[in-house]
């Protein structure tokens, strides 16, 4: 096997692992929040992930603190990247199906593009603008259809999930603006640990916590979210970003909602409406267009091989 073939094989394997991890995360959140309050469940999730992150940081001699001058930003990541958005995500799944939640979060590239335009004054191509409009219109229509046709869908849950996407997009753009080359372990370990303790304390204070009511399936789901999604998924996606182009790695956002919808049908026997399923096609096309660099589009139009 040549080195190039081996590299392609590793990229494909990582892509599959990431999409499977992200695709199953949504059903795990749905099961977890069934018997564990959302704030407390998110705190448990982060504390489940923290020991492994600390171990990997120790084994690789990775610093836990951000460089001097960026420590306040590290605290902001703890609050606005981990504690807030992840709690909003699992809270939203109290009112929204896991499949619809995954579709909302798949629009992260669209949200990042919008925030980049507003905060960084970033210029975009006409193709990206078309993708942005197509994505927003398709998602808005899906949300309208699901809220009006499905009794289990609430605007309360939709609003929480949209807020999580927007906050994550803002934090992503802020990280991009600062252009800090920080290890994935440094970025995740202490903020994850801090968010875990903070949310457990907050959950114990504002939520009615009765551990006797926690089901085994909910506890297993929390463990899965922390260890598999929170550690394994993050490291696999980081490895994918190192070995593939940014465009190739971003294609994960087109695949994991499909897996989430399939998992939802297998586990609960339900899915979104037929009309919404058809609207996923223009939605994913819109996301793809926002992700596609103009250089790639020009190469394809000239029928030249894409260089990665």
């Amino acid at each position: 096997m040549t080195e190039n073939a081996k590299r392609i094989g590793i990229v494909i394997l990582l892509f599959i692992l990431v999409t499977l991890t992200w695709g199953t995360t949504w059903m795990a959140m749905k099961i977890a929040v069934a018997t564990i309050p959302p704030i407390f469940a998110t705190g448990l999730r982060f504390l489940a992930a923290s020991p492994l992150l600390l171990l990997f940081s120790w084994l690789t001699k990775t610093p836990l603190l951000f460089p001097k001058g960026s420590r306040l930003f590290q605290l902001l990541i703890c609050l606005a990247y981990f504690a807030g958005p992840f709690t909003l995500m699992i809270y939203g799944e109290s009112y929204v199906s896991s499949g619809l939640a995954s579709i909302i979060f798949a629009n992260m590239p669209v949200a990042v593009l919008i925030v980049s335009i507003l905060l960084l004054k970033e210029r975009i191509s006409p193709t990206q603008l078309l993708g942005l409009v197509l994505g927003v219109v398709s998602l808005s229509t899906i949300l309208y259809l699901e809220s009006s046709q499905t009794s289990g869908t609430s605007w309360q849950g939709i609003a929480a999930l949209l807020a999580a996407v927007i906050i994550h997009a803002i934090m992503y753009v802020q990280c991009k603006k600062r252009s800090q080359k920080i290890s994935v372990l440094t970025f995740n370990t202490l903020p994850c640990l801090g968010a875990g303790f903070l949310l457990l304390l907050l959950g114990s204070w504002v939520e009615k916590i009765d551990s006797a009511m926690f089901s085994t399936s909910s506890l297993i789901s929390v463990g899965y979210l922390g260890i598999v999604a929170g550690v394994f998924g993050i490291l696999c996606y980081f490895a994918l970003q190192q070995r593939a182009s940014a465009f190739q790695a971003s294609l994960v956002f087109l695949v994991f909602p499909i897996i989430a919808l399939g998992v939802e049908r297998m586990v609960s026997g339900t899915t979104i409406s037929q009309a919404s399923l058809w609207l996923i096609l223009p939605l994913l096309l819109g996301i793809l267009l926002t992700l596609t660099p103009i250089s790639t589009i020009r190469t394809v139009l000239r029928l030249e091989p894409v260089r990665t």
Side-chain angles (χ1 to χ4, degrees):
M1 181 181 293
T2 65
E3 286 299 318
N4 188 51
K6 186 183 295 184
R7 184 188 71 82
I8 293 173
I10 292 174
V11 168
I12 292 173
L13 177 61
L14 287 170
F15 187 89
I16 292 172
L17 291 174
V18 172
T19 52
L20 286 176
T21 302
W22 287 15
T24 52
T25 293
W26 305 97
M27 180 53 69
M29 283 194 282
K30 190 74 173 179
I31 295 172
V33 80
T35 63
I36 306 176
I39 298 175
F40 198 80
T42 309
L44 287 176
R45 170 184 183 170
F46 289 145
L47 285 188
S50 296
L52 275 178
L53 291 172
L54 286 167
L55 176 61
F56 289 148
S57 297
W58 178 71
L59 290 174
T60 57
K61 295 181 173 58
T62 302
L64 295 178
L65 292 172
F66 278 27
K68 289 182 179 180
S70 300
R71 304 284 167 79
L72 284 178
F73 186 62
Q74 187 173 21
L75 176 61
L76 182 63
I77 287 173
C78 172
L79 299 174
Y81 187 90
F82 285 94
F86 280 93
T87 301
L88 288 170
M89 277 190 274
I90 198 168
Y91 172 79
E93 288 219 41
S94 302
Y95 302 93
V96 170
S97 70
S98 60
L100 183 58
S102 71
I103 291 171
I104 293 172
F105 211 78
N107 284 269
M108 179 63 71
V110 177
V112 168
L113 183 60
I114 294 173
V115 174
S116 296
I117 295 170
L118 296 176
L119 297 186
L120 302 183
K121 308 301 180 184
E122 190 170 296
R123 297 180 63 183
I124 62 173
S125 67
T127 305
Q128 288 177 309
L129 178 60
L130 174 62
L132 192 155
V133 173
L134 190 57
V136 170
V137 171
S138 299
L139 178 63
S140 300
T141 308
I142 289 173
L143 296 180
Y144 173 77
L145 289 174
E146 292 305 300
S147 62
S148 61
Q149 296 179 10
T150 309
S151 59
T153 299
S154 166
W155 280 105
Q156 190 174 355
I158 291 174
L161 286 159
L162 288 174
V165 170
I166 293 169
I167 296 170
H168 254 151
I170 292 172
M171 290 303 299
Y172 177 85
V173 170
Q174 286 300 317
C175 292
K176 180 181 176 181
K177 182 179 179 180
R178 290 168 176 263
S179 299
Q180 291 179 329
K181 294 183 178 179
I182 297 173
S183 162
V184 64
L185 289 173
T186 304
F187 186 89
N188 284 274
T189 303
L190 281 188
C192 183
L193 180 63
F197 281 117
L198 174 65
L199 292 174
L200 280 186
L201 290 173
L202 182 62
S204 300
W205 181 37
V206 302
E207 295 176 327
K208 295 181 179 179
I209 306 300
D210 184 0
S211 58
M213 299 297 293
F214 297 174
S215 69
T216 302
S217 58
S218 289
L219 290 171
I220 292 174
S221 295
V222 167
Y224 178 85
L225 290 169
I227 297 171
V228 178
V231 179
F232 181 74
I234 288 173
L235 296 180
C236 283
Y237 186 62
F238 178 72
L240 177 63
Q241 288 179 311
Q242 287 184 316
R243 290 168 171 81
S245 68
F247 173 69
Q248 290 168 337
S250 298
L251 293 178
V252 168
F253 288 92
L254 303 182
V255 181
F256 80 77
I258 308 300
I259 295 175
L261 289 168
V263 170
E264 182 182 45
R265 180 178 286 275
M266 285 190 297
V267 174
S268 62
T270 60
T271 189
I272 58 176
S273 66
Q274 192 68 33
S276 295
L277 285 172
W278 281 109
L279 283 168
I280 289 178
L281 294 176
L283 175 66
L284 295 182
L285 176 60
I287 296 172
L288 177 63
L289 292 176
T290 62
L291 288 169
T292 307
I294 189 63
S295 57
T296 301
I297 296 171
R298 289 171 177 167
T299 301
V300 171
L301 291 177
R302 291 197 301 264
L303 300 180
E304 297 175 1
V306 178
R307 293 182 176 87
T308 60

